[in-house]
Amino acid sequence: MSIYAEGTLKERVKKEIQDTHARLAVAKATEKLQNGRLNAAMEMGNWEEWRERGSAIRSHTIAHLDYYLEQFTSNVEKQGGNVYFAKDAEEALAYALNISKSVNGKHAVKSKSMVTEEIKLNEALNEIGVETVETDLGEYILQLAGEHPSHLLGPAVHKTKEQVAELFSKEGGKEIPPDLQELVGFARSAIREKFLQADIGITGCNFAIAEEGAVSLLTNEGNARMVTTLPDTHIVFMGMERIVPTWEDFEVVINLLPRAGTGQKISSGVSILKPVQPHENDGPKQMHVIILDNGRSKQLGDPDFQEILNCIRCGACINVCPVYRHVGGHSYGSVYNGPIGAVLTPLLNEDSKQASELSYASSLCGACHEACPVRIPLHDMLVKLRHRNVENGDVPALEKLAFNMYGKTFSSPALYNSATKAGLLMQKPFTKDGHFKESTPFMKGWTNSREFPEVQKSFRERWKESLAHQEGQHE
Ligand code: SF4
C-alpha cells in the first residue's frame, strides 16, 4: 500500500494548511523548480520534440514491457546478478529480508527510493534487527522526524532550516545552528559512519537499461555511490515500468528527467551499475534486483490508464499543480503526491476509499499535462477516475442528488428557464453588498477565504443583452 493516510482528504488538508511555514517553504521551492524547468526547456529550443521522443520511447517500452524485462533479466543474470519478480509488497519484503538474513546483515544504508517507501521496507528491516539509515539528506531529515516524503524529488521540501536544526541538535546531543553549511556538515559526518558500518546497500532505480543489464541512478548528493560501492550486498528496488530498451533511449530520458524536474542539464551524479565481476576487486559481492509489480501490471492494456506507466518520476507535474502548492504533499496521505500521486495512488490501491478520493485533489486545469516531459494526460485520467468513483457509487448522496437535478434542469429549456429565475430570487437572503455572505450554507469552503459575487442576471439575459449590443455596434 502506497498510502499512509489517516482521516479524509478534507481533514488532512484542513490540518496541513494551518502550517504556514510549510506552505511558504513549498511555494518557494516549487516556484524555483518550475522556473528551472521553463529555463531548461527554453535553452534546448526544441523541447516539444524532446517531449515527443520521450513519450514515444516510454509508450513503446510499456507496450513491450514483458520483452524488455526478460531481456534485462537475462543480461543481469549472465553477469552474475540476481533478479526477482515480486507480485506485491509482501513478496518483495520477504525476498529482501531473506537476503538480509542470509548475509547476517546488521546495518543497511539506503539512497532515495520511492518504491521502498511504497512497501515500507525500513520498518520491515528494523523489525528483524537491521538498522536502516537513509543517506539522502532530505530522507535523513524525514527519518529523524518520523515523517513521510512530501515531494517526489525534494522529500523534505516542507521543512525550514530552523526545524532541521532542531532535529539535528536533538540527534547530535548538541546545539546545531540553522546554518546550511553546519547542517550539511552534521549530516555528512553522521551518515559517513553509517556508510563504513554498512553490510547492505539499498537503492532504487531511475531506469534499467535492458540491452545492457544495468541499472542507473541519478543523484545530486553522491550518497548513492557510497551506498552501491561500500557494502558487500547491493539490493536494488525497481518498479516494473522503470526500464528503457537501449542506451540511445536512456540518453533521451536522462536529458528529460533533470531538466523537467529541477532545471538541471544533467543530475550531478549518473551511476550505471552492474553486477561486479570476479576479476574486479572493489564493489559489492552480490547484486539483487527486485522488480515490483504491486498493482502496476493491472494498468497494462487499459486504454484509460496504461500511459501512467510512462511516468519517469521527474516531479514536474507536482511543481506546477496549484492544489499541491496550496495544500502540500502530506495532505495526499500517500507516498506519491501531487497530480502523479492523485492518479497513481488510486490505481495502485484499487480497494482503498482513501486512495480513490485523491482524484478530487485537482482543479483539472491541465498544468500537469503541459509540464509533463512525456506528455501523460493526467487531467484526463483524473476525470476518468472520478467517473469510476461515480460508477462504484462512491459519492455522497447529496452530491448524487444535486447532479441528478442539474442534469434534468439542463436538459429541459423550460425547466432551465424557471430554475435560473428562481435561483436569482433564492440567493437574496444569502447575499450582501453584491457578494455571498460567509455564512452561506454549502459555500463556506469558498466564502471562508474568498468572495463569491452575487449573480445579477441569468445567462440568457446576459446573452440577449450581448447580442443586442453587438447588433447595435453593426448598425
Ligand atoms: S507524470 Fe509526468 S510530470 Fe509527473 S512525475 Fe511523471 S513524468 Fe514527471
Side-chain angles (χ1 to χ4, degrees):
M1 286 282 253
S2 58
I3 48 171
Y4 55 83
E6 276 177 22
T8 63
L9 173 65
K10 211 169 169 182
E11 283 163 357
R12 290 194 300 276
V13 168
K14 221 172 185 176
K15 179 172 164 251
E16 293 300 325
I17 56 173
Q18 307 299 328
D19 189 344
T20 326
H21 285 307
R23 285 180 63 192
L24 282 175
V26 168
K28 210 166 137 191
T30 48
E31 176 92 21
K32 195 170 161 216
L33 293 170
Q34 197 189 152
N35 288 337
R37 174 182 62 85
L38 292 172
N39 291 338
M42 219 150 57
E43 250 176 50
M44 281 184 101
N46 53 351
W47 180 242
E48 290 308 313
E49 282 167 37
W50 278 87
R51 284 179 82 203
E52 190 63 50
R53 182 88 189 101
S55 166
I57 289 170
R58 293 302 294 145
S59 292
H60 168 84
T61 311
I62 299 302
H64 302 89
L65 193 55
D66 52 347
Y67 174 81
Y68 290 118
L69 284 173
E70 250 183 69
Q71 188 188 20
F72 169 73
T73 304
S74 140
N75 285 336
V76 172
E77 287 174 349
K78 266 188 227 154
Q79 301 171 83
N82 303 290
V83 179
Y84 177 73
F85 282 86
K87 113 172 158 284
D88 53 23
E90 211 174 304
E91 282 193 5
L93 288 175
Y95 185 81
L97 298 191
N98 267 341
I99 300 168
S100 310
K101 286 178 193 161
S102 71
V103 297
N104 198 21
K106 292 277 172 276
H107 304 279
V109 279
K110 269 185 74 200
S111 70
K112 193 161 88 61
S113 152
M114 299 307 278
V115 164
T116 59
E117 294 277 347
E118 184 182 325
I119 63 170
K120 303 187 173 66
L121 177 71
N122 291 12
E123 292 87 330
L125 283 172
N126 288 338
E127 258 176 42
I128 60 157
V130 181
E131 183 208 33
T132 310
V133 178
E134 297 288 350
T135 64
D136 170 89
L137 181 59
E139 292 282 357
Y140 178 65
I141 293 168
L142 295 186
Q143 189 171 34
L144 295 182
E147 289 179 23
H148 295 276
S150 72
H151 189 287
L152 214 52
L153 297 187
V157 76
H158 59 286
K159 289 261 178 252
T160 61
K161 57 182 191 295
E162 286 74 20
Q163 290 169 324
V164 176
E166 210 179 306
L167 283 168
F168 284 5
S169 302
K170 197 167 157 209
E171 175 68 10
K174 59 176 182 189
E175 186 73 21
I176 317 271
D179 169 82
L180 290 185
Q181 267 192 347
E182 294 271 355
L183 295 173
V184 172
F186 170 79
R188 188 179 289 137
S189 56
I191 294 172
R192 185 172 293 150
E193 275 184 37
K194 304 293 179 188
F195 282 130
L196 297 172
Q197 281 178 339
D199 28 42
I200 302 171
I202 297 165
T203 66
C205 162
N206 284 102
F207 299 102
I209 304 155
E211 68 172 1
E212 187 66 39
V215 296
S216 68
L217 290 174
L218 275 57
T219 63
N220 282 321
E221 295 174 16
N223 59 317
R225 293 207 167 149
M226 306 285 264
V227 170
T228 54
T229 49
L230 291 176
D232 276 347
T233 302
H234 178 197
I235 310 178
V236 182
F237 283 84
M238 156 186 166
M240 69 187 290
E241 77 284 19
R242 307 303 302 276
I243 188 165
V244 287
T246 63
W247 281 110
E248 283 76 19
D249 300 327
F250 179 64
E251 191 192 336
V252 175
V253 289
I254 61 157
N255 263 289
L256 287 171
L257 195 154
R259 284 183 161 92
T262 58
Q264 289 169 287
K265 286 195 178 89
I266 190 150
S267 306
S268 310
V270 177
S271 304
I272 308 294
L273 303 156
K274 303 204 286 182
V276 171
Q277 298 305 297
H279 64 273
E280 295 169 321
N281 295 328
D282 296 329
K285 295 188 175 58
Q286 334 181 1
M287 180 180 183
H288 300 265
V289 184
I290 300 177
I291 301 179
L292 181 72
D293 181 336
N294 216 23
R296 289 163 172 81
S297 61
K298 281 194 186 160
Q299 315 318 319
L300 290 170
D302 185 329
D304 291 339
F305 297 114
Q306 176 166 307
E307 257 185 284
I308 200 63
L309 300 176
N310 291 4
C311 175
I312 59 171
R313 304 283 193 275
C314 70
C317 56
I318 303 179
N319 300 332
V320 296
C321 177
V323 174
Y324 175 91
R325 287 160 63 103
H326 193 65
V327 305
H330 286 157
S331 293
Y332 295 78
S334 162
V335 169
Y336 303 104
N337 42 48
I340 176 63
V343 175
L344 192 60
T345 310
L347 292 175
L348 295 186
N349 303 277
E350 264 184 355
D351 301 327
S352 161
K353 211 174 156 114
Q354 281 163 319
S356 72
E357 66 171 353
L358 289 186
S359 59
Y360 299 104
S362 168
S363 65
L364 302 180
C365 64
C368 47
H369 172 55
E370 286 299 310
C372 179
V374 289
R375 295 188 168 162
I376 300 175
L378 291 159
H379 58 316
D380 283 347
M381 292 181 179
L382 286 164
V383 174
K384 285 169 186 159
L385 282 168
R386 291 180 188 185
H387 191 216
R388 189 186 268 192
N389 289 348
V390 174
E391 277 181 341
N392 292 342
D394 213 1
V395 279
L398 202 62
E399 187 180 316
K400 220 170 172 175
L401 180 72
F403 275 100
N404 264 335
M405 285 166 60
Y406 181 84
K408 284 201 173 87
T409 311
F410 271 69
S411 47
S412 152
L415 209 54
Y416 173 81
N417 221 358
S418 356
T420 45
K421 277 186 186 150
L424 286 174
L425 290 175
M426 281 161 69
Q427 68 176 341
K428 287 292 172 203
F430 304 108
T431 57
K432 193 179 168 197
D433 301 331
H435 290 101
F436 276 83
K437 294 178 200 162
E438 256 186 60
S439 55
T440 309
F442 308 118
M443 288 184 73
K444 283 188 197 157
W446 184 278
T447 50
N448 271 348
S449 52
R450 282 156 291 195
E451 287 185 340
F452 195 94
E454 179 182 349
V455 184
Q456 305 288 347
K457 288 172 189 161
S458 73
F459 175 72
R460 286 190 176 183
E461 284 168 335
R462 290 169 69 107
W463 185 256
K464 265 188 205 155
E465 276 181 20
S466 157
L467 281 181
H469 178 69
Q470 280 175 31
E471 277 164 17
Q473 277 187 334
H474 290 302
E475 276 169 13

